[in-house]
Amino acid sequence: MITIKQLHPLFAAEVVGLDLSRAVSDSDFQTIEDAFRHQSVLVFRNQQIDDDQQITFSERFGELETTKVGTVGAGSKLVILSNMNEDGVVVPPTDKQVLNNRANRLWHADSSFKAMPAKASMLSARVIPSKGGDTEFISMRAVYAALPEDLKKAAENKVVIHDYAYSRSKIDPNLVTDEERAAVPPVRQAMVIDHGPELGKSLYLGAHAARVEGMGEAEGRALIDELMAFATQPRFAYTHKWQPHDLLLWDNRSVVHRATPFESSTEKRLMVRTTIAGDVPTLAAAA
Ligand code: OGA
Ligand code: MN
């Protein structure tokens, strides 16, 4: 029997009583899926799983993305977030893998730069630092519901260009290679996603949001910044303080998230992500 424990007044819950080293029953999975739909972020504590077990559990939620070129884990179903090399030695802060991890400190939705953006991400804490390295989440559904009318109006029917090269250029202008640029060209996304009458709407923005269609670059970015400033108020945020073997699942269409700093030149952090591919575009096919 599993139970669901609320972690924040607006969203995020812990699933208590699950053991992923055993098969998950259909009825338990149904409970988890329902909780996921409503809570957007689920925490499973103390899951000592390996990569294959993580893939198996992730695949119950849908097909997994294959990791893009230029990211550790490219070509596989895993994204490896680590500040260590293969021998477990901490790498210099100028290494591409560390710079890529640093980009995660900007609020974002995973894979919003893909034409069919990710539905969910699952992140497993394998090695965590003694201090810092938390992950923060914002409920973009709660944000939309609380948005002042003028901002709701401004966001309505807007199309946003999401661009991986744009978000990475904020970290280092040379971080993205030509090969990566070619693999993930800019895409169009709705600024507002409608999840139906029960769940309402969410703002769909984050670090990859580069421009607003039909607006000048500065004007579009000012609107994105204003919406993100409203969204990232502490009252909409859940901060996850990691314990070893925590496993998190989040809904990339309903939350944005970011990593927080830690002493990455002395401490070690290793997280393994699987990404559940999306099956609905954010823009209606006719749009
Ligand atoms: C991710 C991510 C944040 C973190 O895995 O997609 O953004 O704290 N991680 O590592
Ligand atoms: Mn991420």
Side-chain angles (χ1 to χ4, degrees):
M1 248 309 266
I2 58 175
T3 52
I4 307 296
K5 186 180 131 197
Q6 191 78 33
L7 295 174
H8 181 284
L10 297 170
F11 72 123
E14 182 181 341
V15 177
V16 182
L18 190 73
D19 177 1
L20 284 179
S21 66
R22 298 160 185 236
V24 180
S25 71
D26 286 342
S27 76
D28 276 354
F29 188 71
Q30 188 63 56
T31 305
I32 293 167
E33 259 199 325
D34 284 351
F36 176 68
R37 255 175 70 71
H38 289 100
Q39 302 292 345
S40 304
V41 177
L42 294 183
V43 176
F44 309 86
R45 299 269 190 201
N46 198 27
Q47 305 294 332
Q48 294 207 32
I49 51 171
D50 62 21
D51 296 347
D52 287 339
Q53 287 170 313
Q54 182 170 345
I55 288 170
T56 299
F57 183 50
S58 302
E59 282 180 338
R60 295 209 43 185
F61 296 89
E63 218 172 286
L64 302 188
E65 288 189 354
T66 299
T67 303
K68 62 167 263 316
V69 65
T71 296
V72 186
S76 80
K77 291 175 176 173
L78 303 172
V79 173
I80 313 295
L81 302 174
S82 170
N83 66 329
M84 295 176 264
N85 66 17
E86 278 151 19
D87 301 321
V89 177
V90 168
V91 298
T94 48
D95 260 46
K96 176 162 179 156
Q97 70 187 78
V98 174
L99 292 174
N100 271 339
N101 293 348
R102 173 151 322 154
N104 282 341
R105 292 187 197 163
L106 306 170
W107 291 109
H108 66 281
D110 292 334
S111 297
S112 76
F113 53 82
K114 292 188 181 175
M116 185 71 89
K119 169 172 151 183
S121 296
M122 192 178 280
L123 191 62
S124 164
R126 306 294 174 86
V127 178
I128 57 170
S130 65
K131 246 193 3 253
D134 302 340
T135 308
E136 300 181 324
F137 296 88
I138 294 281
S139 170
M140 293 299 250
R141 297 207 304 240
V143 165
Y144 185 85
L147 215 54
E149 276 311 313
D150 59 327
L151 282 180
K152 251 183 205 167
K153 238 200 177 104
E156 205 171 80
N157 297 320
K158 290 285 195 306
V159 173
V160 180
I161 308 301
H162 287 241
D163 184 356
Y164 183 80
Y166 167 72
S167 66
R168 284 336 184 233
S169 71
K170 297 181 208 172
I171 303 299
D172 183 325
N174 301 315
L175 191 51
V176 171
T177 62
D178 289 344
E179 195 187 10
E180 284 176 273
R181 233 176 255 278
V184 282
V187 296
R188 305 168 74 234
Q189 306 288 9
M191 191 182 266
V192 175
I193 296 178
D194 191 347
H195 302 270
E198 190 193 4
L199 302 176
K201 297 180 178 181
S202 63
L203 270 184
Y204 191 61
L205 287 171
H208 308 300
R211 297 184 299 282
V212 179
E213 226 171 65
M215 293 177 89
E217 190 162 315
E219 189 195 3
R221 228 160 260 168
L223 175 59
I224 292 170
D225 288 349
E226 189 180 2
L227 289 164
M228 284 305 287
F230 180 87
T232 55
Q233 298 177 71
R235 63 177 162 132
F236 301 121
Y238 164 70
T239 298
H240 187 71
K241 294 194 178 299
W242 293 91
Q243 295 172 13
H245 312 300
D246 277 355
L247 183 70
L248 257 66
L249 177 70
W250 65 82
D251 175 351
N252 282 302
R253 302 163 62 96
S254 300
V255 301
V256 287
H257 62 282
R258 69 173 179 186
T260 64
F262 68 101
E263 278 299 332
S264 64
S265 53
T266 53
E267 292 222 64
K268 296 177 177 177
R269 189 174 192 262
L270 169 62
M271 316 289 277
V272 176
R273 194 180 97 198
T274 40
T275 314
I276 296 122
D279 48 13
V280 264
T282 62
L283 288 165

